[in-house]
Amino acid sequence: MSFKRPEHKAPPELFYNDEEARKYTQNSRMIDIQVQMSERAIELLLLSEKRPYYILDLGCGSGLSGSVLEEQGHNWVGLDISSSMLFVAKEREVEGDLLLADLGNGLPFRPGSFDGAISISTLQWLCNADKSCHNPVKRLYAFFSSLFACLTRTARAVFQFYPENSEQIELITSQAMKAGFFGGLVVDYPNSTKAKKYFLVLMTGGNMPLPKALSDGEEHASHVQFTNRREKYKNLKGKCVKKSKNWILEKKERRKRQGKNVRPNTKFTGRPRSGRF
Amino acid sequence: MKLVTHNMLTSKCLKGVNTGYPLKLVVKEIRVQSSDFNKEFISKMIPRLDWAVFVVAAKQIGHAGNLPDQLLPDYENNEELLKDVHHALFEVDIYEGELICPETNRKFQISEGIPNMLVKENEL
Ligand SMILES: C[S@@+](CC[C@H](N)C(=O)[O-])C[C@H]1O[C@@H](n2cnc3c(N)ncnc32)[C@H](O)[C@@H]1O
């Protein structure tokens, strides 16, 4: 197990202690990044002009993301499992209401309460089993299904997170879908190790096209819209013969969507070679 | 904790609890801080509230102003009413106190304005 990732070091309520929480008021680089990602997450909510809105901040921590919501005029409620982080938020005199709560136990709200939700750098924490009785699949499902219920029927939830690997993305998106959400991943700057950012965009009100990912022009911005199981199966049955021209074109398309470097298609693409070099 | 949050909050995460609503309020200290009034926003929030629960709670903390027990149909044009709603919903902070589950009597402490909604695994 790697100990580079904070979520491998200790449970969140212990990792985010007073010392760690203080960084969120003193480390200006960290603050800048949190603020930037919050702005992007709010942008991806695609809220209409009928401001302000009533928004959830999931894993609100020291309230940096909440302050961005405030700057844009929104009202918010933040949940976090770390009392040290919440006390920093109190010190910063944020306007949002704060709750000490574990997202993995489900959200304690009545149906239809919120217009949207954001979550910055928190979701990967829910994939861990910090106690012997923790079951990540169950916790993610309890979280997503209670979130689905407490949002309005035209709402979005946007999660910036740091997935550890593709299995983790699959684990998260499958539980979100099971809970009723539509949506998918928006990956900004997919070819840059530094700037690459993952946003899970979830919608309650039906399947709509995902917002465009950001890119610096040369690279292909990447989207992975998730489809429901039945559609997946349908696609499978229509799968092309391996190594056929269509198979190659589809594979290239797929890799392009994943943000990988793909050569442009030409009239030679997928043509059998003569055997001579 | 503001009354708007109280109006949304339930204890249904607890094992064996059906609705867990409304949570009973025990108030030990409140703090009042003014915030920007936005007419459209308050109008948008009102249909989402459980009005009866809101009025009872506002009266309990002594900030109900002239809130009527029954919501009037043309509330969107009643600026006086909207201001009273704004004040009770967003300007009064329950700083020390308790929330109590109506079905199990489980207590959730409110300290420095933050309700502790954490539950143990065996309560789930
Ligand atoms: C990178 S910080 C987020 C910082 C926050 N956006 C801010 O502006 O300060 C991640 C946060 O997720 C919280 N967290 C992790 N697991 C959680 C859980 N199961 N329930 C609630 N919060 C959790 C941590 O306590 C931590 O404050």
Side-chain angles (χ1 to χ4, degrees):
Chain A
M1 200 196 280
S2 137
F3 280 85
K4 277 211 184 107
R5 301 180 70 93
E7 66 270 24
H8 290 173
K9 289 184 186 153
E13 64 275 27
L14 299 182
F15 177 82
Y16 289 98
N17 54 17
D18 291 346
E19 192 187 330
E20 186 65 23
R22 228 177 348 228
K23 289 188 194 163
Y24 282 77
T25 57
Q26 290 172 354
N27 183 332
S28 61
R29 209 185 86 84
M30 193 147 158
I31 296 172
D32 282 350
I33 296 176
Q34 288 282 316
V35 167
Q36 254 175 40
M37 295 190 301
S38 308
E39 283 169 349
R40 177 68 174 141
I42 298 168
E43 181 178 70
L44 290 171
L45 285 178
L46 296 184
L47 297 167
S48 80
E49 284 309 306
K50 291 184 201 142
R51 285 151 192 276
Y53 287 93
Y54 191 48
I55 308 286
L56 270 176
D57 187 348
L58 304 163
C60 64
S62 59
L64 292 169
S65 35
S67 298
V68 179
L69 286 167
E70 275 164 36
E71 275 163 31
Q72 303 196 16
H74 301 300
N75 274 284
W76 60 281
V77 175
L79 285 79
D80 204 285
I81 200 172
S82 155
S83 49
S84 299
M85 291 292 273
L86 291 178
F87 282 126
V88 170
K90 267 272 158 193
E91 253 173 40
R92 295 182 57 245
E93 299 188 346
V94 296
E95 284 168 26
D97 235 356
L98 305 171
L99 297 173
L100 183 61
D102 180 352
L103 302 175
N105 293 347
L107 304 179
F109 300 109
R110 283 201 300 136
S113 300
F114 296 92
D115 297 306
I118 60 165
S119 174
I120 309 299
S121 316
T122 301
L123 195 51
Q124 69 276 0
W125 283 95
L126 283 183
C127 298
N128 284 0
D130 290 319
K131 297 179 182 158
S132 59
C133 50
H134 274 185
N135 172 347
V137 176
K138 233 177 99 188
R139 282 167 57 78
L140 281 165
Y141 182 70
F143 167 62
F144 282 124
S145 55
S146 60
L147 174 63
F148 187 88
C150 78
L151 293 174
T152 62
R153 289 307 103 206
T154 55
R156 289 176 186 233
V158 175
F159 299 81
Q160 178 278 325
F161 71 119
Y162 295 108
E164 200 176 328
N165 48 40
S166 56
E167 288 81 50
Q168 204 178 60
I169 295 178
E170 171 65 25
L171 169 69
I172 289 172
T173 50
S174 63
Q175 293 312 306
M177 277 168 25
K178 203 175 141 204
F181 281 110
F182 297 92
L185 273 189
V186 173
V187 186
D188 284 353
Y189 308 110
N191 295 336
S192 152
T193 34
K194 262 197 174 160
K196 184 171 181 175
K197 289 282 163 338
Y198 287 87
F199 292 88
L200 176 66
V201 177
L202 301 179
M203 325 177 205
T204 58
N207 208 0
M208 310 242 262
L210 288 173
K212 271 215 158 49
L214 301 177
S215 67
D216 60 16
E218 284 159 43
E219 54 192 355
H220 295 278
S222 142
H223 303 84
V224 191
Q225 186 123 16
F226 53 71
T227 47
N228 64 38
R229 260 170 235 286
R230 202 170 300 130
E231 273 177 67
K232 242 192 216 159
Y233 182 62
K234 213 165 60 195
N235 289 346
L236 227 129
K237 282 218 294 206
K239 223 173 164 179
C240 310
V241 183
K242 244 192 179 165
K243 302 267 150 79
S244 70
K245 178 164 182 180
N246 279 340
W247 180 83
I248 293 171
L249 289 175
E250 274 194 8
K251 180 160 180 180
K252 288 178 84 168
E253 196 49 45
R254 225 166 28 240
R255 294 177 69 86
K256 217 152 78 186
R257 264 189 271 129
Q258 291 163 354
K260 295 187 176 134
N261 261 332
V262 179
R263 283 163 165 251
N265 293 330
T266 67
K267 63 180 178 178
F268 300 109
T269 305
R271 272 211 335 217
R273 311 221 175 227
S274 69
R276 279 180 281 126
F277 285 99
Chain B
M1 183 201 65
K2 294 165 186 149
L3 280 199
V4 64
T5 307
H6 172 256
N7 206 271
M8 307 299 175
L9 213 51
T10 77
S11 56
K12 68 180 167 208
C13 298
L14 295 172
K15 185 164 59 189
V17 168
N18 286 324
T19 50
Y21 189 83
L23 296 173
K24 282 181 248 171
L25 256 181
V26 177
V27 181
K28 294 182 185 138
E29 184 186 339
I30 57 174
R31 296 191 177 182
V32 179
Q33 181 157 33
S34 65
S35 70
D36 291 344
F37 169 65
N38 182 310
K39 202 174 146 187
E40 284 73 36
F41 178 63
I42 299 299
S43 303
K44 195 159 68 177
M45 289 302 288
I46 285 179
R48 253 177 245 191
L49 299 175
D50 184 316
W51 184 261
V53 167
F54 169 52
V55 174
V56 168
K59 282 184 178 157
Q60 185 190 337
I61 63 172
H63 284 266
N66 292 319
L67 294 177
D69 288 333
Q70 294 272 322
L71 184 60
L72 313 164
D74 68 334
Y75 60 82
E76 284 168 54
N77 305 313
N78 186 342
E79 189 138 338
E80 288 303 302
L81 171 70
L82 293 176
K83 280 189 173 153
D84 280 348
V85 174
H86 168 76
H87 173 70
L89 274 184
F90 288 103
E91 296 189 323
V92 191
D93 191 23
I94 297 161
Y95 200 73
E96 296 289 334
E98 276 167 11
L99 294 165
I100 303 174
C101 168
E103 293 169 43
T104 62
N105 286 325
R106 159 72 149 88
K107 287 182 183 156
F108 300 92
Q109 294 295 332
I110 305 171
S111 123
E112 303 196 43
I114 305 174
N116 180 348
M117 302 305 290
L118 292 175
V119 293
K120 298 209 178 68
E121 290 299 322
N122 62 11
E123 296 177 288
L124 284 171

